[in-house]
Amino acid sequence: MAVILGRRVVSARRTPGSFLRFFSASTEYDLCVIGGGPGGYTGAIKAAQLGLKTICVDKRGVPGGTCLNVGCIPSKAMLQASALYHEAKHTFEMRGITGAEGLGADFGKMMANKDSAVKKLTSGIEGLFKRDKVAYSKGWGKITGPNTVTVALNDGGEEVINAKNIMIATGSEIIEKLPFVTVDEEQIVSSTGALELKKVPEKLVVIGGGVIGLELGSVYERLGSKVTVVEFLPTIGGLGIDAEVSKDMQRILKKQGMNFKMSTKVTAVEKTGGALKITTEPAAGGDADVIDADVCLVCVGRREFLDGLGAQEAGIEMDGRKIKVDDCYRTNVPSIFAIGDVVHGPMLAHKAEDEGSMVAEYIATGTKPHLDFNNVPSVVYTHPEVAWVGKTEEMLRAEGVEYKKGKFSFAANGRAIANMDTDGFVKVLSCKKTDKLLGVHIINAIAGDIIGPACVGMEYGAAAEDIARVCMAHPTVSEVLKGAAQKASFGKAISG
């Protein structure tokens, strides 16, 4: 079937729901994506690949959002460099490698390598846009109608975009305005400022022992800073981490040199003669204490970025700070969708990526999106890493679910012993009645990679026995996942 639109002939596409979708051959777009982060650029590229005329709008100008520019990627570059430096300085001698005594770190070079990685990846996204014919508008996008986005262009002027569908993918930003401190990105820094420091601080205080605070704190601890983490909660790792995992991870990081003040709140951060004084007190109340620091890193969470979006004027319904969407990520305005950090679910780049791709597919083909937040993995990229998917023991007990537990230590794994890297364990939780996988929790140098097979198992409803019976390569550290599954399913493992 063909439909004549103007002077072009465009095929009409039949969806699984047997209705017809017509794609514009005029200057009107089929989809306008507001936000060029992981969810936005993935959604835009997927939509274009499926034949939708697509434009992406981003205020930063350089695509990639927080993740590629000032978050996931630059922090991982620094984590990798600092981990290698720490490894060389502290383990080479016992591995029989000499000459590391006078080892030094070129902080400027590390920062330059970080910037190089960012530039390579962001320019790569622009290349993908060109390849798949995604138009890219650099400026601040505001919804000015159910099918209209007005862009205040970075280079001046204004662009009005007409689109049959709009996808909001504006992500989140750091919380930097607090009653007790004002971030200046020089001495009192957010995660963004921490990735732009000119030198390694002698003393660093991290406010917040969640994922970002632990990752960046560990970078500077490895490079020589005396790091103190102040955390309001009694556990590190943020919400959603298993208590046993959190406790063991804190022990490992403390052994590496990080200091912790748990169940503690910060009441003031003062600049005094080029230094900082951070006043703390117990969360439950008590005597105040003062910590001296050269730099204070504030990592107390992120907030949904909806500033200047025009959501309220467009009549988009909210659910607290989140945009309210249905099962297809559609708002109460039928032509407007929302994904990523601005809707419910974990505020993670890979969750946003999947949502962007699924919504693009839904708009193009009618295929209904599906994403089980319980099967979205979380990773803390310290060394060792922490990774988990599914339920924690605390969640299962609170829900009254009877479960089995299999725990296998890397200290009993041949490859880990040969690598002289035996910290951590794998814990598998399965249903006591059916053996269905309920949760997997890992502490290991490559936990973020080992968690992948567990995610596949969770997604397909596997039993612990299914993992236990998979033939895994030997010797590998991933065999510990199999050992933990054996313990959960059979009660015993072959080894460990």
Side-chain angles (χ1 to χ4, degrees):
M1 178 179 179
V3 180
I4 305 296
L5 294 175
R7 291 182 296 173
R8 287 179 56 188
V9 179
V10 182
S11 296
R13 305 187 178 211
R14 187 174 297 276
T15 70
S18 297
F19 57 89
L20 298 178
R21 291 180 181 271
F22 298 94
F23 302 130
S24 172
S26 69
T27 55
E28 183 182 66
Y29 289 93
D30 296 306
L31 175 63
C32 175
V33 180
I34 306 176
Y41 75 71
T42 300
I45 291 170
K46 182 67 173 180
Q49 290 175 344
L50 291 171
L52 298 181
K53 188 174 182 180
T54 305
I55 185 169
C56 182
V57 179
D58 191 85
K59 63 182 175 61
R60 192 185 298 272
V62 179
T66 294
C67 179
L68 264 68
N69 287 280
V70 293
C72 312
I73 296 302
S75 66
K76 300 312 167 285
M78 295 302 293
L79 281 159
Q80 176 71 359
S82 62
L84 291 172
Y85 173 68
H86 185 273
E87 178 88 357
K89 195 163 187 175
H90 295 277
T91 73
F92 271 20
E93 185 175 349
M94 67 179 185
R95 293 176 187 275
I97 304 171
T98 60
E101 298 82 2
L103 201 64
D106 186 335
F107 187 65
K109 182 67 173 176
M110 288 184 183
M111 287 294 199
N113 290 338
K114 170 207 65 162
D115 294 340
S116 176
V118 169
K119 185 176 181 181
K120 183 175 182 179
L121 288 167
T122 54
S123 61
I125 293 171
E126 292 199 70
L128 293 175
F129 279 175
K130 291 177 182 177
R131 181 197 69 185
D132 292 311
K133 297 179 174 58
V134 175
Y136 186 42
S137 181
K138 300 179 181 181
W140 194 293
K142 180 178 181 179
I143 298 170
T144 48
N147 300 99
T148 308
V149 175
T150 301
V151 184
L153 297 170
N154 292 349
D155 292 336
E158 188 177 86
E159 179 181 10
V160 178
I161 298 168
N162 296 312
K164 293 182 177 180
N165 300 281
I166 297 169
M167 183 192 298
I168 299 171
T170 49
S172 61
E173 67 174 0
I174 52 176
I175 298 173
E176 58 181 23
K177 294 181 180 179
L178 299 166
F180 56 84
V181 63
T182 300
V183 171
D184 61 18
E185 298 296 19
E186 292 180 358
Q187 240 185 324
I188 304 171
V189 300
S190 67
S191 56
T192 301
L195 291 166
E196 296 295 335
L197 292 178
K198 304 303 180 187
K199 63 179 181 179
V200 177
E202 184 179 338
K203 296 177 182 178
L204 173 68
V205 169
V206 181
I207 303 176
V211 174
I212 298 172
L214 293 179
E215 289 182 357
L216 293 176
S218 69
V219 166
Y220 286 103
E221 189 279 324
R222 295 171 193 161
L223 295 176
S225 295
K226 181 181 179 183
V227 177
T228 301
V229 177
V230 182
E231 171 55 50
F232 185 82
L233 298 174
T235 57
I236 65 170
L239 299 175
I241 193 171
D242 183 270
E244 183 181 20
V245 171
S246 175
K247 183 179 179 180
D248 199 53
M249 192 60 198
Q250 185 178 342
R251 177 191 62 79
I252 292 169
L253 292 176
K254 191 173 181 179
K255 185 173 70 173
Q256 291 178 0
M258 292 181 72
N259 300 307
F260 293 91
K261 289 177 71 69
M262 308 303 297
S263 301
T264 301
K265 62 182 178 181
V266 174
T267 58
V269 179
E270 299 176 88
K271 292 184 178 181
T272 56
L276 298 172
K277 289 190 177 296
I278 293 97
T279 304
T280 68
E281 63 180 52
D287 295 336
D289 186 26
V290 177
I291 310 171
D292 294 325
D294 300 298
V295 173
C296 177
L297 170 57
V298 182
C299 293
V300 294
R302 301 184 64 81
R303 72 173 187 92
E304 301 80 3
F305 189 80
L306 300 168
D307 300 3
L309 178 65
Q312 184 175 358
E313 297 93 324
I316 295 173
E317 189 176 350
M318 303 295 293
D319 185 4
R321 284 284 309 170
K322 301 286 186 179
I323 293 176
K324 187 175 182 179
V325 294
D326 63 15
D327 291 343
C328 296
Y329 295 87
R330 192 194 300 268
T331 70
N332 62 305
V333 181
S335 57
I336 301 177
F337 299 79
I339 64 160
D341 291 356
V342 297
V343 300
H344 282 291
M347 297 172 80
L348 296 169
H350 43 282
K351 176 256 195 186
E353 286 180 336
D354 278 8
E355 289 176 335
S357 182
M358 290 188 301
V359 170
E361 189 172 5
Y362 174 68
I363 294 170
T365 70
T367 301
K368 190 174 180 179
H370 169 73
L371 180 63
D372 186 346
F373 294 155
N374 185 60
N375 296 339
V376 175
S378 295
V379 183
V380 185
Y381 294 93
T382 48
H383 187 91
E385 296 175 353
V386 180
W388 68 90
V389 63
K391 304 286 188 178
T392 65
E393 288 196 66
E394 293 72 41
M395 291 175 184
L396 294 175
R397 286 196 289 265
E399 295 169 7
V401 177
E402 292 186 312
Y403 65 92
K404 299 182 293 182
K405 171 181 171 180
K407 183 179 174 183
F408 198 109
S409 173
F410 284 95
N413 173 257
R415 181 64 182 274
I417 292 170
N419 290 350
M420 299 177 71
D421 196 354
T422 56
D423 279 331
F425 58 83
V426 173
K427 177 163 67 173
V428 170
L429 305 174
S430 66
C431 178
K432 189 173 183 179
K433 295 179 181 179
T434 66
D435 196 38
K436 181 180 179 180
L437 277 177
L438 300 175
V440 177
H441 306 267
I442 307 172
I443 300 177
N444 181 258
I446 56 170
D449 295 298
I450 302 173
I451 201 69
C455 295
V456 174
M458 293 279 292
E459 189 66 36
Y460 284 90
E465 182 180 356
D466 294 322
I467 303 295
R469 294 190 182 279
V470 170
C471 183
M472 296 187 179
H474 174 81
T476 59
V477 292
S478 57
E479 289 177 281
V480 175
L481 174 60
K482 179 175 182 174
Q486 288 174 340
K487 285 190 172 184
S489 188
F490 312 140
K492 294 181 180 180
I494 299 300
S495 61

